[in-house]
Amino acid sequence: MKDYYQVLGLNRSASKEEIKQAYRKLARTYHPDINPGDKQAETRFKEINEAYEVLSDSEKREKYDRFGSDWRRYEQAGGPGPDVSGTDFADIFETLFGGGSGRRAGSSGFNVRMNGHDIDQEVELTLEEAFSGTQRSVQFSNSNGTPRTVTVKIPVGVDTGNRVRVPGEGAPGLNGGNRGDLYMVVKVQPHPRYERRGDDLHITVKADLYTLMLGGQVTVPTLAGKTLNLTIPEQTQNGRVFRLGGQGMPTMRSDRRGNLYVTVSAELPTGLTPQERELVLQLRQLREVAAS
């Protein structure tokens, strides 16, 4: 089951008004009348309505915050029911909740000991933050309405899809059950200059025509904030790729680093003077003679 907060693009401390605004905006965007024949939009619209139905109801939201996707089963199991004397309630609750124990508490219901569910919280990082490591603070709302802030250290080298686990910072348990875990789900934003492929980085730098023909150096920026001098051999072709070992992304929980791959792009001169144009013509004529 998807996280209802993520479906509406909200964090767990969102107010009722924020929930209502997010729902209205998304409902207008994905309404079937606006997207006729679009099955994906129809599915998304259903998810949005399901999420809003729960989060807009204070009682349902409180149960969802505590039990996650199991909240409906808890609601059904916790209410009054027929006389089932002699039933092994421990077996019933083990079947329903996958663990814990239950005991009869009279005809009004049951006391259930159940661990809290895990919480997934998406966190967006820049490539620089993924390179150097960073931290994020996440705010939740406790069952009594008081805010709770959790600060999480994000290790160096994380990539999109990585999950950073914070034990015991998930949803609270029931009747003495343990808290679940908090998982920070990483999403690294695209970078305007670097392309990341695993632990390797790729960048394109410009080199003038004369450097490519005669040889020379070009400067290459790195995510560490430094610049490197890359030696260009004479007669280097446009688009050639150079590898700078160990200048890529750090590998998580390791001292190893990926490589930086530099693609050289020719930058042709513009605004030639008559004398420069004449020299280029002479060069072309010499090349034509040599090729004949």
Side-chain angles (χ1 to χ4, degrees):
M1 178 180 290
K2 292 188 175 181
D3 186 303
Y4 288 152
Y5 290 98
Q6 291 187 9
V7 169
L8 296 181
L10 299 167
N11 60 47
R12 290 180 172 266
S13 61
S15 66
K16 283 189 175 182
E17 186 61 29
E18 289 172 329
I19 292 172
K20 183 185 294 184
Q21 290 175 356
Y23 168 73
R24 288 177 175 175
K25 180 179 179 180
L26 291 170
R28 284 195 297 266
T29 301
Y30 293 99
H31 197 285
D33 291 345
I34 306 297
N35 306 274
D38 188 333
K39 295 297 183 182
Q40 289 185 342
E42 181 179 344
T43 300
R44 186 84 169 88
F45 184 72
K46 291 178 180 178
E47 293 175 348
I48 293 165
N49 277 282
E50 180 182 344
Y52 182 69
E53 177 191 355
V54 175
L55 299 185
S56 62
D57 185 302
S58 299
E59 186 176 342
K60 290 181 180 178
R61 181 182 180 183
E62 182 180 354
K63 292 176 182 176
Y64 176 74
D65 286 344
R66 175 167 290 193
F67 305 114
S69 59
D70 286 327
W71 77 273
R72 290 187 190 275
R73 291 194 294 173
Y74 169 75
E75 186 176 51
Q76 294 165 0
D83 184 8
V84 285
S85 302
T87 303
D88 188 338
F89 292 104
D91 291 342
I92 290 178
F93 285 104
E94 186 173 356
T95 300
L96 281 174
F97 301 112
S101 61
R103 72 176 186 272
R104 192 173 182 190
S107 60
S108 60
F110 308 100
N111 289 327
V112 184
R113 183 183 185 280
M114 191 170 75
N115 293 336
H117 70 281
D118 296 337
I119 295 176
D120 283 356
Q121 178 69 43
E122 185 178 274
V123 54
E124 289 196 353
L125 305 178
T126 64
L127 189 59
E128 287 85 356
E129 288 176 319
F131 180 87
S132 302
T134 186
Q135 63 180 28
R136 284 290 190 274
S137 294
V138 186
Q139 189 173 82
F140 301 99
S141 180
N142 290 321
S143 57
N144 60 4
T146 59
R148 178 171 64 93
T149 301
V150 180
T151 300
V152 183
K153 184 178 180 180
I154 309 296
V156 299
V158 293
D159 200 356
T160 296
N162 288 154
R163 291 158 59 87
V164 180
R165 176 174 173 261
V166 188
E169 293 293 352
L174 175 69
N175 293 329
N178 298 323
R179 273 188 178 274
D181 296 334
L182 170 64
Y183 287 90
M184 304 293 280
V185 183
V186 175
K187 180 180 180 182
V188 181
Q189 300 170 341
H191 195 277
R193 292 210 64 181
Y194 298 94
E195 178 186 354
R196 181 176 183 175
R197 302 179 193 173
D199 291 334
D200 295 330
L201 294 173
H202 294 252
I203 189 173
T204 298
V205 297
K206 294 181 178 181
D208 60 55
L209 178 64
Y210 321 109
T211 299
L212 294 179
M213 294 175 63
L214 304 175
Q217 288 187 333
V218 295
T219 57
V220 180
T222 69
L223 275 180
K226 301 178 180 179
T227 57
L228 302 175
N229 290 323
L230 174 63
T231 299
I232 305 296
E234 63 180 32
Q235 300 183 37
T236 292
Q237 293 296 313
N238 179 46
R240 179 174 171 178
V241 179
F242 295 85
R243 182 179 70 88
L244 298 178
Q247 295 296 328
M249 293 293 295
T251 302
M252 284 184 64
R253 304 179 183 89
S254 171
D255 293 332
R256 196 185 73 84
R257 283 180 59 177
N259 301 316
L260 174 60
Y261 290 90
V262 183
T263 301
V264 176
S265 175
E267 186 174 31
L268 301 181
T270 59
L272 295 177
T273 65
Q275 183 180 7
E276 289 172 332
R277 180 178 173 78
E278 180 62 30
L279 291 173
V280 174
L281 287 173
Q282 291 180 25
L283 176 61
R284 183 171 71 177
Q285 291 170 357
L286 289 172
R287 298 293 294 179
E288 289 174 348
V289 171
S292 62

